[in-house]
Amino acid sequence: YHLSLEEYGLWIIGFVIVSFLGMTSIGLESAYIKYTAEFHATGERHKANGVLSAGMTVSIVVSVALVAAVLFGMPWIHNLLGVGPHLKDAATVIFSGVCLVFLLDISLGAYGCALDGLQHIELTRKIRIGTTFLEIALIIIFLSGGAGIYGMMGAFILRYLVALILK
């Protein structure tokens, strides 16, 4: 099985949408890393917990609002992008799924940033590399099995969940 050019285009557009949403988290990851490292070094772990908790709370609220905006705005997004009737279901799954995973990563990615701040960079790098290879293998398996664009989305989501669990 292969992806049609239209399906691949939807996949790419999904990530373009996410890159715009990503601007909502500018500086958040570096703040997690900096303050986790700083407060850990000074023995003020309660302050590190406070930074992570506050950042995650704000990120979750913003993420829920952005996911809701994408979901409620889906008909408008379809029209804006000229998505044909035969691709609207796939576009909805792709745009919603990519946005949801990305926004979850903004919210829950604080754990990975905290590991970086605690100088566990090698661990986070190994997790990133391992889960990337997992995603590639899953894409090959799912596409070979005929799952198409839904298989790619499934591989993307599974990679994220495995990385989240390991961090």
Side-chain angles (χ1 to χ4, degrees), residues 2-13:
H2 70 282
L3 295 177
S4 70
L5 188 57
E6 291 172 317
E7 290 173 324
Y8 185 69
L10 290 174
W11 183 254
I12 297 302
I13 289 171

Side-chain angles (χ1 to χ4, degrees), residues 61-104:
V61 169
V62 170
S63 294
V64 167
L66 289 172
V67 168
V70 168
L71 291 175
F72 288 120
M74 197 59 64
W76 180 80
I77 293 170
H78 289 165
N79 289 335
L80 176 71
L81 298 174
V83 176
H86 64 291
L87 289 173
K88 284 190 177 185
D89 289 341
T92 299
V93 169
I94 293 165
F95 299 157
S96 302
V98 169
C99 289
L100 180 63
V101 169
F102 183 76
L103 294 170
L104 279 173

Side-chain angles (χ1 to χ4, degrees), residues 22-97:
M23 288 188 272
T24 63
S25 69
I26 291 175
L28 197 56
E29 288 183 356
S30 53
Y32 287 145
I33 294 168
K34 178 192 182 314
Y35 290 112
T36 299
E38 183 178 315
F39 292 138
H40 179 73
T42 60
E44 299 174 286
R45 291 191 174 109
H46 66 283
K47 287 186 177 181
N49 290 338
V51 167
L52 293 172
S53 296
M56 286 178 61
T57 301
V58 169
S59 295
I60 288 170
V61 169
V62 170
S63 294
V64 167
L66 289 172
V67 168
V70 168
L71 291 175
F72 288 120
M74 197 59 64
W76 180 80
I77 293 170
H78 289 165
N79 289 335
L80 176 71
L81 298 174
V83 176
H86 64 291
L87 289 173
K88 284 190 177 185
D89 289 341
T92 299
V93 169
I94 293 165
F95 299 157
S96 302

